Amino acid sequence: MKNITIKDVANKAGVSVGSVSKVLNNKGYVSKETREKVEMAIEALNYQVNAAARSLKASRTKKVGMLVSYISNPYLMSIAKTIEDSLRELGCHLLLMSHNEDEATERELLQLIMEQRVEALVLIPTGGNREMVQTVINQKIPVLLVDKKVEGVSTDLIVDDNYYGSYESIKYLSSLGHSRIGVIYGVTKNSVGKERLDGALDAIKDLGCSLDESLIRPGEFDSEKAYKSATELLLLPNPPTAIYCCNNTMTTGLIKAINDRGIKIPDDISIITFGDASQWELLQPPLTLMTQPLKRIGVEAAILLKNRLIMNEEYLPKQLIIKPELQIRSSCASPKVEVRD
Amino acid sequence: MKNITIKDVANKAGVSVGSVSKVLNNKGYVSKETREKVEMAIEALNYQVNAAARSLKASRTKKVGMLVSYISNPYLMSIAKTIEDSLRELGCHLLLMSHNEDEATERELLQLIMEQRVEALVLIPTGGNREMVQTVINQKIPVLLVDKKVEGVSTDLIVDDNYYGSYESIKYLSSLGHSRIGVIYGVTKNSVGKERLDGALDAIKDLGCSLDESLIRPGEFDSEKAYKSATELLLLPNPPTAIYCCNNTMTTGLIKAINDRGIKIPDDISIITFGDASQWELLQPPLTLMTQPLKRIGVEAAILLKNRLIMNEEYLPKQLIIKPELQIRSSCASPKVEVRD
DNA sequence: CTGAAAGCGCTTACAG
DNA sequence: CTGAAAGCGCTTACAG
């Protein structure tokens, strides 16, 4: 049982393959009569064009690659969704894959993406594989970096202003009167993790908060590691009156740690987190946080892509650094007791 | 600036394209010397094979399609991730798209998927488009339905036992002494929504709970609709002592409604939900629920796909109906007051 | 308006 | 072990 080809359709309809191609693509002159014969033949044979053959000839694949860290990350998928919808309007579709923050996997998939001749690539990079990313760009494939930079690569970019978001988070806590502020930070060899930590540290210094190093603990962007660090913070002889947590995954661990010890937010401790997640609104009290404007990032990404795809414009990288906004809910209050440094 | 082709590599290396193809595919005899020359030329020219041309000739695309309802649904993406990882081992990759529960979009994308000549399709269907789904199967593309059936189509299938899960949820509430049980149900023209409602209704009848129809309210698998229905339930002159909510999205609305009215779980009302979500564990109290065994569904799906892909076995549809399990946490208690029916 | 023909970039027998 | 040639299923000028 071989595949039905355009030739079979042509035979059945009693016309040339050229004519079939024309009705398939709605292009060039075809008589109404021919068109009808062809359409009937297509129907009768249940013919489907072969996308590979088509794009080989037309050298347009109508595919856009998107390579993310984790396919199960709702933050990224919300961006992916906006992009997918926008691409659909352009008649393109998404080739979506994930590298799970593994550089070898990322390299392999970048290779695959080039082989697939995607017309553009949206990349949430591991941060490594600089040369490979540059190779993609050299192939004249527009690359849009989202969420994270790749050091030394100049291309379209949309990222949060991580430093700013962290700085403002600490500033807010400080404005409520906190000076012993705990920080649970992420992976610092990652630009996102580093910028968020730096922002927090600088704010702590600038605003005259406690410089006690035992207040600054690693969570590695991992829920369980954060649980451990959070527990350590809570057990400190002189514990912090507020904790700033650098991302959602870690905040899950933090909340568990607080719940497990029966500590009350915000009476016993104030909490602020970097990143939106629907569940933070459901907690009692709902969490105060530094938002990532997902909708905006998705929309901006879609616009950028569309421009690259349609306009085929000369390559002047656009860099968008989006400031997160403080969303005040009820997980922060002024500290009850004055605490010595 | 045209693309580099196998011909360019052959010229540069001073060999035939046939030989280049052999080293590319590690297949057939090539002398070490030739191989080296070719590899150097590939390197020098930065050559990437053209996947379209390759699959046109080899008539193997190494692509598996996955069409889901929502790309941003963590439940589905967790399944997608397991499948993607497993596919990678087979040298295949995922073409992931979403139809947003819109039948026209689903039809369009099924068309696209056939054109792409995927080697298999994982489909979370809208439930409609029966003929189109059948067409895909007729093209000898193995189709695996996940989460939901398509009436009248016989193919591989992995679904939750929705009826059972609902029935057991009510049974659990009844065993705690509840007899006025509220139900917030989903879209009933959808098999999942219908089965869950039926299971709950039958259990209510079988176990002698209140048949008061005002206790059974629609949420349409939507958070805000569920919020409205939940509020109505809570405001009833004789409100339910427990509520069973048929999916996570609606549970979000339910929890908000309960929080907004300052009602305490489980003291004032018991809550049970169908479906896992990491956030339910973080609530105070953590929610009791009927689990969907995501890992298991993902793994089973991956196994099924692998068999279809590798074995190319004769088409005997496998149907897996997976029983969810009750996960007891702290959101259910016995009713405080005896309530008249 | 229609058909014959070239060619997209590969792979695969087949001769040598 | 190597190369020349056919052909995968399309699209696109080009003649007619």
Side-chain angles (χ1 to χ4, degrees):
Chain A
M1 134 112 203
K2 64 187 270 300
N3 271 311
I4 309 286
T5 73
I6 196 173
K7 216 165 173 176
D8 301 318
V9 176
N11 285 340
K12 178 112 187 173
V15 301
S16 73
V17 293
S19 297
V20 177
S21 176
K22 277 171 205 148
V23 353
L24 245 28
N25 296 290
N26 248 318
K27 177 186 240 175
Y29 302 102
V30 214
S31 70
K32 207 176 122 217
E33 203 187 352
T34 302
R35 173 181 303 278
E36 275 166 8
K37 278 192 289 184
V38 169
E39 277 165 355
M40 288 183 59
I42 288 176
E43 188 79 9
L45 296 171
N46 217 319
Y47 167 73
Q48 322 280 349
V49 290
N50 181 320
R54 172 178 275 178
S55 67
L56 177 57
K57 191 69 190 86
S59 60
R60 277 216 55 192
T61 60
K62 304 219 166 198
K63 279 186 274 198
V64 170
M66 179 158 182
L67 179 49
V68 305
S69 46
Y70 299 104
I71 220 174
S72 48
N73 180 328
Y75 164 76
L76 300 175
M77 286 308 101
S78 139
I79 295 171
K81 182 166 167 33
T82 308
I83 292 177
E84 193 203 9
D85 290 345
S86 143
L87 248 30
R88 188 130 61 215
E89 287 169 25
L90 300 176
C92 293
H93 52 279
L94 251 199
L95 199 63
L96 183 61
M97 345 198 185
S98 62
H99 55 59
N100 303 330
E101 291 294 348
D102 179 70
E103 293 193 13
T105 306
E106 184 186 38
R107 212 173 312 128
E108 203 178 303
L109 292 176
L110 286 174
Q111 181 67 44
L112 188 78
I113 279 166
M114 285 190 280
E115 292 179 0
Q116 291 291 326
R117 299 289 191 274
V118 297
E119 298 186 11
L121 171 63
V122 181
L123 177 61
I124 284 82
T126 61
N129 288 321
R130 174 162 54 87
E131 287 175 32
M132 191 75 171
V133 174
Q134 190 59 56
T135 302
V136 178
I137 294 170
N138 292 346
Q139 304 277 334
K140 303 289 178 220
I141 298 175
V143 173
L144 166 58
L145 259 21
V146 175
D147 193 52
K148 205 194 286 178
K149 301 170 194 166
V150 178
E151 229 52 61
V153 170
S154 163
T155 185
D156 291 336
L157 176 73
I158 303 182
V159 290
D160 296 317
D161 193 333
N162 291 300
Y163 181 93
Y164 171 87
S166 272
Y167 198 102
E168 293 299 308
S169 297
I170 299 293
K171 196 157 139 189
Y172 174 65
L173 292 174
S174 167
S175 76
L176 292 175
H178 293 279
S179 74
R180 279 190 73 76
I181 301 175
V183 174
I184 299 178
Y185 63 90
V187 176
T188 52
K189 68 180 194 110
N190 165 324
S191 68
V192 174
K194 177 147 180 21
E195 289 163 13
R196 291 190 189 170
L197 176 57
D198 287 349
L201 256 25
D202 285 356
I204 285 173
K205 252 174 253 153
D206 293 354
L207 304 169
C209 299
S210 161
L211 296 171
D212 183 348
E213 286 189 3
S214 64
L215 295 175
I216 315 296
R217 296 194 178 243
E220 296 180 32
F221 288 146
D222 176 271
S223 164
E224 289 175 26
K225 299 264 168 50
Y227 179 92
K228 184 163 166 290
S229 283
T231 306
E232 287 165 5
L233 281 175
L234 300 172
L235 291 175
L236 241 34
N238 187 2
T241 59
I243 295 179
Y244 164 57
C245 189
C246 287
N247 91 344
N248 282 328
T249 313
M250 297 193 295
T251 299
T252 302
L254 168 62
I255 298 292
K256 263 189 216 154
I258 290 175
N259 286 349
D260 283 358
R261 305 203 63 77
I263 293 171
K264 294 286 170 239
I265 306 172
D267 305 1
D268 302 330
I269 196 154
S270 291
I271 297 297
I272 184 166
T273 180
F274 196 122
D276 249 331
S278 56
Q279 65 259 36
W280 302 148
E281 196 187 346
L282 294 182
L283 295 188
Q284 295 273 53
L287 252 44
T288 289
L289 48 80
M290 195 52 69
T291 62
Q292 287 165 301
L294 293 190
K295 277 276 147 48
R296 169 116 192 266
I297 292 176
V299 169
E300 295 286 1
I303 291 173
L304 253 167
L305 269 182
K306 197 179 284 192
N307 286 342
R308 292 304 180 206
L309 249 30
I310 296 183
M311 325 267 284
N312 209 355
E313 57 191 27
E314 205 31 54
Y315 215 88
L316 289 171
K318 296 213 174 110
Q319 318 253 351
L320 250 64
I321 298 176
I322 298 184
K323 285 209 188 316
E325 279 172 35
L326 182 65
Q327 180 159 352
I328 297 180
R329 294 202 282 228
S330 322
S331 66
C332 296
S334 294
K336 269 196 302 203
V337 219
E338 272 304 301
V339 179
R340 282 159 307 130
D341 189 303
Chain B
M1 134 111 204
K2 63 186 272 300
N3 271 311
I4 309 286
T5 73
I6 196 173
K7 218 165 171 176
D8 301 318
V9 177
N11 284 341
K12 177 110 186 174
V15 302
S16 73
V17 292
S19 297
V20 177
S21 176
K22 276 171 207 149
V23 351
L24 245 27
N25 296 290
N26 248 318
K27 177 186 239 176
Y29 302 102
V30 214
S31 69
K32 207 174 122 217
E33 203 187 353
T34 303
R35 174 181 304 278
E36 275 166 7
K37 280 193 288 184
V38 170
E39 278 164 355
M40 287 183 59
I42 289 177
E43 188 77 10
L45 296 171
N46 218 319
Y47 166 74
Q48 322 280 348
V49 290
N50 181 319
R54 172 179 276 177
S55 66
L56 178 58
K57 192 68 192 82
S59 61
R60 275 217 55 190
T61 60
K62 305 221 166 196
K63 278 186 276 199
V64 170
M66 180 157 181
L67 178 49
V68 305
S69 46
Y70 298 104
I71 221 174
S72 49
N73 179 328
Y75 163 77
L76 299 175
M77 286 309 101
S78 140
I79 295 172
K81 182 168 168 29
T82 309
I83 292 177
E84 192 203 9
D85 290 346
S86 144
L87 247 32
R88 188 130 61 215
E89 287 170 25
L90 300 175
C92 293
H93 52 278
L94 251 199
L95 200 63
L96 183 61
M97 344 198 186
S98 62
H99 55 60
N100 302 331
E101 290 295 347
D102 179 69
E103 292 193 15
T105 306
E106 184 186 38
R107 210 172 314 126
E108 201 178 304
L109 291 176
L110 285 174
Q111 180 67 44
L112 188 79
I113 279 166
M114 285 190 280
E115 292 178 1
Q116 291 292 325
R117 300 287 192 274
V118 297
E119 298 186 11
L121 171 64
V122 181
L123 177 61
I124 284 82
T126 62
N129 288 322
R130 176 163 52 87
E131 286 174 33
M132 192 74 170
V133 174
Q134 190 60 56
T135 301
V136 178
I137 295 171
N138 292 346
Q139 304 278 334
K140 304 287 177 221
I141 298 176
V143 172
L144 166 57
L145 257 22
V146 175
D147 194 49
K148 204 194 286 179
K149 300 169 196 167
V150 178
E151 229 51 62
V153 170
S154 163
T155 185
D156 292 334
L157 176 73
I158 304 182
V159 290
D160 294 317
D161 193 334
N162 291 300
Y163 181 93
Y164 170 87
S166 272
Y167 199 101
E168 293 298 308
S169 297
I170 301 292
K171 197 157 139 189
Y172 174 65
L173 291 175
S174 168
S175 77
L176 291 176
H178 293 280
S179 73
R180 279 191 74 78
I181 299 175
V183 175
I184 299 178
Y185 63 91
V187 176
T188 53
K189 68 180 195 111
N190 167 322
S191 68
V192 174
K194 177 148 182 18
E195 289 164 13
R196 290 190 190 171
L197 176 58
D198 287 351
L201 256 26
D202 285 356
I204 285 174
K205 253 175 252 152
D206 293 354
L207 303 170
C209 299
S210 162
L211 297 171
D212 183 349
E213 285 187 4
S214 64
L215 295 175
I216 314 298
R217 298 195 177 242
E220 296 180 34
F221 288 147
D222 177 90
S223 164
E224 289 176 25
K225 300 263 167 48
Y227 179 92
K228 184 165 166 289
S229 283
T231 306
E232 288 164 6
L233 281 175
L234 300 173
L235 290 175
L236 242 33
N238 188 2
T241 59
I243 296 180
Y244 165 57
C245 190
C246 287
N247 90 344
N248 282 329
T249 312
M250 299 193 294
T251 299
T252 302
L254 169 62
I255 298 292
K256 263 188 216 155
I258 289 174
N259 286 349
D260 283 359
R261 305 203 64 77
I263 293 171
K264 292 287 170 238
I265 305 171
D267 304 1
D268 304 330
I269 196 154
S270 291
I271 296 297
I272 183 167
T273 181
F274 196 122
D276 250 331
S278 57
Q279 65 260 36
W280 302 148
E281 196 187 346
L282 293 183
L283 296 188
Q284 295 274 52
L287 252 45
T288 289
L289 49 81
M290 194 54 69
T291 61
Q292 288 165 300
L294 293 189
K295 277 277 148 47
R296 170 116 190 266
I297 291 176
V299 169
E300 295 285 2
I303 292 173
L304 253 166
L305 268 181
K306 197 179 283 192
N307 286 342
R308 292 304 181 206
L309 249 30
I310 296 183
M311 325 265 286
N312 210 354
E313 57 191 28
E314 205 30 53
Y315 214 88
L316 289 171
K318 295 214 175 109
Q319 317 253 352
L320 251 63
I321 299 176
I322 298 185
K323 286 210 189 315
E325 279 171 35
L326 181 65
Q327 180 158 352
I328 297 179
R329 294 202 281 227
S330 320
S331 66
C332 296
S334 294
K336 267 196 304 203
V337 219
E338 272 305 302
V339 179
R340 281 158 307 130
D341 190 304

